[in-house]
């Protein structure tokens, strides 16, 4: 699990434990991640830009000296389900593409062998 996914999992866990939206994240909450604060801030900003959350830092310095108020959108809550679905879809597309190609190549090889034997 990469750092972005760790932050998303933290947000989902906080949402599930508080059952409120928006949630509040502070230094105590992010301490369990063992990720530098600056990187967490970048990740939160990226998630905000991607439309998964609405992040509002309460500190004027946009750090964790005060808490962050984060509104979690449905896309964020469904992040891991969507990721799993995309992986399954990619696997199906791969099968749909490469099984017919493999069968076609095998048919061509059998036809060439049949022509060689017949000659």
């Amino acid at each position: 699990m990469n750092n972005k996914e760790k932050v998303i999992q933290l947000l989902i866990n906080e949402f599930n434990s508080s059952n409120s939206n928006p949630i509040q994240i502070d230094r105590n909450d992010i301490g369990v991640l063992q990720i530098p604060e600056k990187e967490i801030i970048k990740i939160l900003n990226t998630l905000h830009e991607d439309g998964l959350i609405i992040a509002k830092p309460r500190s004027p310095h946009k750090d964790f000296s005060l808490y962050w108020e984060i509104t979690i959108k449905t896309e964020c809550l469904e992040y891991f389900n969507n990721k799993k679905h995309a992986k399954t879809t990619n696997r199906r597309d791969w099968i749909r593409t490469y099984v017919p190609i493999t069968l076609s190549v095998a048919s061509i090889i059998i036809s060439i062998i049949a022509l060689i034997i017949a000659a």
Side-chain angles (χ1 to χ4, degrees):
M1 184 179 288
N2 62 29
N3 289 342
K4 177 182 175 183
E5 291 174 343
K6 287 179 184 178
V7 171
I8 291 173
Q9 188 64 55
L10 172 78
L11 296 175
I12 292 171
N13 291 344
E14 287 291 324
F15 174 80
N16 289 335
S17 66
S18 70
N19 258 347
S20 65
N21 209 5
I23 60 172
Q24 295 178 356
I25 302 292
D26 60 16
R27 277 197 174 114
N28 295 330
D29 298 318
I30 64 169
V32 298
L33 295 177
Q34 298 179 350
I35 302 171
E37 266 188 37
K38 288 185 179 186
E39 187 172 347
I40 292 174
I41 292 169
K42 283 183 184 178
I43 292 170
L44 290 174
N45 288 327
T46 301
L47 293 174
H48 179 79
E49 290 169 5
D50 292 345
L52 297 174
I53 63 171
I54 299 171
K56 297 177 185 174
R58 292 301 174 197
S59 168
H61 305 293
K62 296 185 178 182
D63 61 3
F64 280 96
S65 60
L66 295 175
Y67 67 92
W68 282 55
E69 185 177 278
I70 299 175
T71 304
I72 300 178
K73 295 185 176 181
T74 306
E75 294 84 4
C76 184
L77 294 172
E78 297 295 324
Y79 177 82
F80 293 105
N81 291 335
N82 292 341
K83 183 178 176 182
K84 182 179 177 182
H85 178 71
K87 185 176 179 181
T88 304
T89 301
N90 287 341
R91 188 177 312 133
R92 285 184 187 144
D93 289 344
W94 185 88
I95 290 170
R96 285 183 188 145
T97 301
Y98 289 103
V99 167
I101 290 173
T102 304
L103 291 175
S104 297
V105 169
S107 298
I108 291 172
I109 291 172
I110 291 171
S111 296
I112 291 172
I113 291 173
L115 285 173
I116 292 173
I117 292 174

